[in-house]
Amino acid sequence: MTVSPHKEKTLIPDQTFPINVFFVHHIYLHWHDHIEWIFVKEGKARIQIDADFEMLHQGELAFVNSKQLHGTAELEPGTELVCIVFNEALVRGSGLDITEHQYFLPYLNQRLKWPSTIRKTDPFMKEMNESFSKLVEEFEGKQPGYELLVKGELLRIFGQYFRYAQQCAAVKTPRLQNSYDFSSLLQLLRERYQEQITVEEAARMVNLSPSYFCNVFKQVTGKTLIEYIHLLRVKEAERLLLETDLPVTEISGRVGFSNMTYFGRVFKKIKNATPTDIRKQLPSIDIMPG
């Protein structure tokens, strides 16, 4: 059974120190506004990040940027993942020093692309592994000053990862012929879901014919293009229904539906409830990881 990808409202209890750590066996396909490190503590897992699939073994690591579609499947019994989910504000330098502009902004704005995984055989992994252990220990212990030590280990991890990224850029491993970069397209859809984007326009962005694009897009997301856009629109509509007092008709237009009847039909198909039913509910906090 295909699980529909959706935006996750990841639980970060303290917004003044926006980071949380989760221990899970697998992660269903979703995306969120935070950055995430996924570390394989035990076992083996297959991870999807946008259109890319990788196998991760014990001691290996994946990086997920803000708004990237991602999920994992457990490939061995007893597989355990450590997910560190945090807001970019925790590592950015607020423009007061060189680190933000030289290191973080080109990647956070996705002008440059970080490697999505790092292997345990890589020389950078030993120190990163040690930093992960220290970060988790400090976060769980919450002794006085733990915030400084957690942030320090997080920056140490990024420092090693930047070196690894530079090494990968120097090697410039060619992409496989049947591998397609959907990252920019998926980001555009998440940012412009209220616009009318055709299959032809989307296919041009990834240099595929419209018919072949439809097959590949369905493999990556589990949805057709229009179903995926509808999912994004309905998730935003649900947020507006729960967090604002805007009329349903206005919400319908804001998320990209010009026909109120059609909006109601699509909404009910996805949520199994009408917009009015949702508005009657109290907001619920989703505590699933990353």
Side-chain angles (χ1 to χ4, degrees), residues 54-192:
E54 297 279 355
M55 196 87 71
L56 292 178
H57 297 79
Q58 181 182 3
E60 297 184 330
L61 175 70
F63 173 81
V64 182
N65 210 340
S66 172
K67 296 182 172 65
Q68 282 193 306
L69 189 69
H70 61 285
T72 69
E74 184 179 3
L75 298 180
E76 286 183 358
T79 294
E80 185 176 359
L81 309 175
V82 182
C83 303
I84 299 176
V85 185
F86 56 97
N87 189 278
E88 65 182 56
L90 202 60
V91 293
R92 289 178 60 169
S94 301
L96 299 178
D97 58 46
I98 196 173
T99 57
E100 178 165 355
H101 295 282
Q102 183 166 330
Y103 295 105
F104 287 104
L105 283 183
Y107 294 95
L108 294 175
N109 296 338
Q110 301 196 26
R111 297 197 303 272
L112 296 176
K113 188 176 180 181
W114 267 309
S116 58
T117 59
I118 181 168
R119 303 300 178 181
K120 59 184 176 183
T121 54
D122 191 275
F124 296 105
M125 194 61 220
K126 182 177 184 297
E127 186 169 347
M128 293 176 73
N129 199 331
E130 293 172 355
S131 291
F132 265 89
S133 297
K134 292 177 182 177
L135 187 155
V136 173
E137 181 181 350
E138 289 293 338
F139 184 83
E140 290 189 313
K142 290 185 171 51
Q143 296 297 311
Y146 84 94
E147 297 96 338
L148 294 172
L149 294 171
V150 165
K151 187 171 181 177
E153 296 300 340
L154 195 59
L155 289 171
R156 184 183 297 275
I157 292 168
F158 269 110
Q160 293 296 322
Y161 208 57
F162 279 118
R163 290 181 179 177
Y164 176 68
Q166 289 298 310
Q167 183 184 80
C168 291
V171 174
K172 292 184 179 178
T173 303
R175 292 181 65 86
L176 297 177
Q177 192 172 15
N178 63 345
S179 181
Y180 306 100
D181 186 359
F182 272 46
S183 301
S184 297
L185 172 62
L186 293 173
Q187 182 182 357
L188 179 141
L189 294 178
R190 291 188 287 263
E191 292 174 351
R192 295 168 49 191

Side-chain angles (χ1 to χ4, degrees), residues 234-244 248 251 263-264 267-268 270-284:
V234 167
K235 291 300 291 184
E236 176 62 11
E238 181 183 28
R239 185 190 70 81
L240 292 172
L241 286 165
L242 293 171
E243 298 179 7
T244 75
V248 175
I251 291 174
F263 166 66
F267 192 99
K268 187 169 184 180
I270 292 174
K271 300 301 299 181
N272 198 29
T274 67
T276 304
D277 293 334
I278 296 297
R279 171 143 278 175
K280 293 176 182 177
Q281 299 175 8
L282 291 174
S284 59

Side-chain angles (χ1 to χ4, degrees), residues 193-196 233 236-237 240 246-261 263-264:
Y193 57 85
Q194 61 274 75
E195 299 179 20
Q196 299 296 327
R233 290 178 175 181
E236 176 62 11
L240 292 172
L246 292 172
V248 175
T249 51
E250 184 173 342
I251 291 174
S252 170
R254 281 197 179 197
V255 300
F257 288 98
S258 58
N259 184 289
M260 181 63 189
T261 303
F263 166 66

Side-chain angles (χ1 to χ4, degrees), residues 8-22 32-35 85-91 139 142 146-147 151 243 285-287:
E8 183 91 326
K9 188 174 182 180
T10 304
L11 178 61
I12 296 183
D14 186 355
Q15 295 301 316
T16 65
F17 190 61
I19 185 171
N20 209 349
V21 177
F22 302 94
H32 49 64
D33 293 327
H34 302 298
I35 302 171
V85 185
F86 56 97
N87 189 278
E88 65 182 56
L90 202 60
V91 293
F139 184 83
K142 290 185 171 51
Y146 84 94
E147 297 96 338
K151 187 171 181 177
E243 298 179 7
I285 298 178
D286 195 335
I287 63 172

